Amino acid sequence: MVAPEVTLTHLNRADGSATYTHNGYAIIGAVNGPIEVQRRDEQPEEATLEVNVRPSAGVGTPRERHLETLLYNTLRSIILTRLIPRTLVQITLQVRSLPEEDTSAGVNTSLTLLPHLLHTAFLSLLSASIPLSTTLTSVLVAFPSSTTKSSTPLLTPTANELLRAKPIRSTHVFAFSGDRRLLLNESDGKFSYEEWEEACEMAEEICCKEEDQGGISLGESMEVDGAVQSQNLEKWLREVVTRKVEYEQRWKNAT
Amino acid sequence: MATAASAPPPALTFPRPIFAAVSPHPFLQAHLSADKSAIRANGRAAHEFRTPGVNTGSLTHCNGSAVVRLGNTSVVCGVRAEILREEDTPGTSAPAAVDASGEVDDDEINEEGEDEIADLRLLVPNIELSTGSTPAHIPGNAPSTAQQSLITRIRTLLHSTQLLRARDLRITHTPPTNASDPDAAPESELKGYWVLYLDVFFLSLDGCAFDAAWLSILAALKHTRLPRAYFDDEYEGILCSDDPAEAASLNLRGLPVPSSFAVFEGRGEGEGEKGSDWVLSDPDAFEEGVCREIVTITVDQGTIRRVEKSGGGVVGRETMKTLVKRAVERWGVVEKATHGRA
């Protein structure tokens, strides 16, 4: 698996922004906040959250509204909304491009998009310095139908891999917080509790695996430019931010 | 706010409904953490679901209909069937290929042939809230985010469970003679599809909108009878038979039943302290307003068909196991209710 590519704070008019590219999915996220809130949406004890998802083509449909609801529920549980009461945090996510095989892969396209949207939203929030209680990482797990020969579960498959593994029996999206709590789960298809548990364990492994434990690692710790690539998504997230902070402080550190 | 819950001064007392309206969270927590009989504000135990009431066939001008009640949530669903002519479908669907799979389609799940229901949008669910059904709904506006999200969830579940068989919705025709080769047996050809409009109307909404809407759709589809449609060679169009004896029911695949759970996060005595958590089955509107984390598990007999969970991190793997068990138990109850009177 290739680690996602991220550019942080590249839009200079938004309070925070991130562009995220992974497996052919490209999403631009922008966060404005805390800003003034409309009177009718104002909440006396906490911040109001607004999530807008814009598709790559056309205007938003009920599908985007559903994705917004999921993002809203998840982000509301990690943003410390009580620290910034009577304000608005506005998150806008624009899907820039999807992989070509996205619609023909035979799985629910909202599920394949959801982990990427979550990552983009979280990175944009970080970039905007919105108070957060924990980190967030998300992953997609797909189980191919057992009749086909390759019945091993696919972890963060590309659209092409899904297409080749067709028919897919079940797909699962998991999101974990930094302290290993399961924040979001969307599972679709036909499966038993044991399979769900297996998928959940695999996802937790990828999202927040400890350094020195065995098991599946992300990208088998590729050596890129001498630096060891991230082992899990949580570490990858921290590396992305560290790199950005180091870059911004290059003058301070050099002198 | 917390002071009202823990130790209100003796002079300041509220009647029950005022306490509930002023500070809903401590109100529910006071109920749940009562020593002897921990019971929810609506009189149910934490694990208790509401008994579903299902009544089918109450609407006259529908192909199928059902009224479902879950406590104070009551929903009407009407199924109307309309004909989509084959020449009106987008040309890309390759009618020859569709027809071929129609011949092969046996009782086993034919995954390849099922795409047409999703591709041609043969199922059109819609949700409407009646005026006054819930205080959150302002009549006269465009469908709210919650409504649109609900429709998406229903559409996704309809397609992912493959509840309907494409064969039931196809209208085929076998000409008396084979035009190309008079000696060979005539081949049946596809002339059109039935499109099912599933309209769900909430008379009143007191929590668990998704469960109620889905149950009403399920009961209405079970009750749906489509008239026999045939292609008339002389009229060169599709006609429907007037004889009710010829009408056919839909052959549904399984009976997926969703069960929703809300997680109530208790607050500790001190500031920032965490109290214990409760998982409430089948929450009502008051509880949904207080709880943030909602879990919906859709089960068909023993297998899980869909899990939706968002809003918090209380339910982990261990809790999910008990929830799945609760959902499977609930499946048995609902299965009886839909079969009992339908």
Side-chain angles (χ1 to χ4, degrees):
Chain A
M1 189 194 115
V2 191
E5 268 177 52
V6 179
T7 322
L8 278 178
T9 329
H10 60 298
L11 306 175
N12 47 18
R13 294 217 178 252
D15 288 337
S17 55
T19 287
Y20 171 95
T21 321
H22 188 214
N23 287 349
Y25 294 88
I27 302 162
I28 307 175
V31 168
N32 281 306
I35 53 174
E36 195 181 347
V37 60
Q38 265 194 26
R39 202 65 172 286
R40 142 189 99 157
D41 300 328
E42 188 179 294
Q43 287 166 280
E45 290 194 1
E46 51 188 343
T48 312
L49 205 62
E50 188 186 313
V51 184
N52 295 305
V53 175
R54 298 179 200 280
S56 56
V59 290
T61 58
R63 190 179 85 102
E64 274 73 36
R65 297 292 94 73
H66 180 53
L67 286 171
E68 284 169 13
T69 313
L70 290 176
L71 286 165
Y72 174 84
N73 285 339
T74 312
L75 297 176
R76 195 172 61 159
S77 63
I78 62 162
I79 296 176
L80 294 167
T81 47
R82 284 174 177 273
L83 287 187
I84 40 171
R86 291 181 290 118
T87 55
L88 173 71
V89 176
Q90 196 178 41
I91 303 160
T92 311
L93 302 166
Q94 167 76 56
V95 180
R96 209 182 64 193
S97 63
L98 297 169
E100 259 174 54
E101 305 93 341
D102 188 49
T103 45
S104 50
V107 295
N108 189 346
T109 50
S110 345
L111 289 191
T112 50
L113 184 61
L114 189 58
H116 308 295
L117 285 174
L118 280 166
H119 281 154
T120 318
F122 179 75
L123 286 159
S124 314
L125 284 169
L126 271 182
S127 157
S129 306
I130 302 291
L132 302 169
S133 61
T134 178
T135 57
L136 172 81
T137 45
S138 171
V139 80
L140 173 79
V141 183
F143 280 84
S145 195
S146 50
T147 52
T148 57
K149 50 197 178 301
S150 58
S151 55
T152 46
L154 300 166
L155 283 155
T156 58
T158 60
N160 199 345
E161 281 170 359
L162 283 174
L163 189 64
R164 270 184 285 145
K166 216 170 165 178
I168 300 289
R169 196 152 46 97
S170 62
T171 39
H172 313 259
V173 173
F174 295 94
F176 284 91
S177 66
D179 48 358
R180 289 188 161 219
R181 284 182 305 136
L182 176 60
L183 287 180
L184 171 132
N185 169 229
E186 288 275 306
S187 296
D188 200 4
K190 208 179 207 175
F191 52 97
S192 63
Y193 172 76
E194 283 71 31
E195 278 172 303
W196 181 88
E197 196 175 25
E198 190 190 338
C200 189
E201 270 166 19
M202 290 173 81
E204 190 177 335
E205 191 92 320
I206 278 223
C207 284
C208 31
K209 181 172 75 88
E210 303 291 328
E211 281 291 304
D212 43 3
Q213 276 181 4
I216 320 123
S217 69
L218 179 77
E220 285 150 3
S221 60
M222 288 176 294
E223 295 271 338
V224 177
D225 297 336
V228 179
Q229 278 268 340
S230 44
Q231 299 277 314
N232 63 38
L233 283 171
E234 220 261 319
K235 193 153 170 279
W236 157 77
L237 205 69
R238 285 176 193 279
E239 262 171 30
V240 165
V241 180
T242 318
R243 238 178 286 141
K244 176 69 179 167
V245 171
E246 272 169 9
Y247 177 76
E248 293 299 334
Q249 294 195 325
R250 66 195 185 283
W251 276 94
K252 185 174 171 282
N253 293 338
T255 51
Chain B
M1 215 179 78
T3 52
S6 51
L12 189 67
T13 53
F14 296 119
R16 221 178 94 95
I18 306 246
F19 183 20
V22 168
S23 60
H25 195 281
F27 177 70
L28 191 53
Q29 184 161 2
H31 269 92
L32 289 171
S33 48
D35 285 336
K36 265 192 229 139
S37 54
I39 205 166
R40 286 145 74 175
N42 48 28
R44 282 186 278 155
H47 291 217
E48 210 175 327
F49 285 90
R50 294 176 282 192
T51 334
V54 182
N55 205 338
T56 50
S58 25
L59 304 183
T60 324
H61 299 284
C62 279
N63 294 77
S65 64
V67 182
V68 165
R69 282 201 66 160
L70 282 176
N72 283 335
T73 302
S74 44
V75 200
V76 187
C77 174
V79 178
R80 265 183 75 77
E82 288 186 16
I83 290 171
L84 172 70
R85 292 183 302 166
E86 196 271 322
E87 54 262 44
D88 293 337
T89 58
T92 49
S93 72
V98 168
D99 198 34
S101 71
E103 304 282 308
V104 192
D105 191 2
D106 281 327
D107 250 8
E108 82 223 34
I109 294 184
N110 182 353
E111 310 236 348
E112 294 303 315
E114 294 304 320
D115 291 346
E116 54 196 291
I117 290 189
D119 289 347
L120 298 172
R121 308 197 169 222
L122 299 182
L123 299 174
V124 189
N126 188 38
I127 296 218
E128 233 169 282
L129 300 179
S130 79
T131 308
S133 57
T134 163
H137 172 246
I138 303 151
N141 285 5
S144 63
T145 309
Q147 251 169 298
Q148 294 191 37
S149 173
L150 203 56
I151 296 171
T152 312
R153 288 170 69 190
I154 285 176
R155 251 180 64 90
T156 315
L157 196 58
L158 278 170
H159 290 143
S160 78
T161 56
Q162 299 182 328
L163 190 64
L164 283 127
R165 286 161 209 266
R167 193 183 34 179
D168 287 346
L169 300 180
R170 290 194 193 114
I171 299 169
T172 50
H173 173 62
T174 315
T177 54
N178 194 325
S180 55
D181 180 10
D183 296 330
E187 282 177 17
S188 70
E189 50 197 68
L190 186 76
K191 286 299 180 185
Y193 289 102
W194 285 108
V195 179
L196 300 183
Y197 291 88
L198 315 164
D199 286 295
V200 177
F201 189 73
F202 277 91
L203 296 175
S204 84
L205 178 49
D206 187 25
C208 268
F210 180 70
D211 297 17
W214 180 260
L215 284 188
S216 73
I217 286 180
L218 211 56
L221 282 175
K222 266 186 172 297
H223 178 254
T224 299
R225 286 175 70 77
L226 297 178
R228 188 176 74 85
Y230 59 97
F231 185 80
D232 193 288
D233 273 322
E234 276 162 32
Y235 174 69
E236 294 200 327
I238 297 169
L239 295 175
C240 287
S241 158
D242 207 19
D243 187 4
E246 285 183 319
S249 314
L250 296 169
N251 195 357
L252 300 185
R253 278 205 189 94
L255 187 89
V257 173
S259 328
S260 292
F261 305 92
V263 180
F264 180 75
E265 292 176 57
R267 290 188 194 139
E269 296 290 310
E271 193 63 33
E273 202 179 307
K274 264 201 63 65
S276 48
D277 304 311
W278 289 268
V279 181
L280 312 173
S281 301
D282 196 7
D284 63 12
F286 172 75
E287 287 160 347
E288 276 182 353
V290 183
C291 301
R292 288 197 158 181
E293 185 174 349
I294 304 277
V295 184
T296 304
I297 303 176
T298 307
V299 178
D300 192 358
Q301 286 178 325
T303 50
I304 312 172
R305 301 310 301 262
R306 193 167 171 82
V307 179
E308 293 163 276
K309 171 206 137 74
S310 66
V314 175
V315 174
R317 276 201 288 273
E318 289 306 305
T319 330
M320 191 62 97
K321 194 168 191 174
T322 61
L323 293 190
V324 168
K325 209 175 280 169
R326 280 203 232 171
V328 172
E329 278 163 22
R330 171 70 170 170
W331 183 86
V333 176
V334 173
E335 200 244 6
K336 266 191 205 118
T338 46
H339 280 290
R341 281 188 249 175

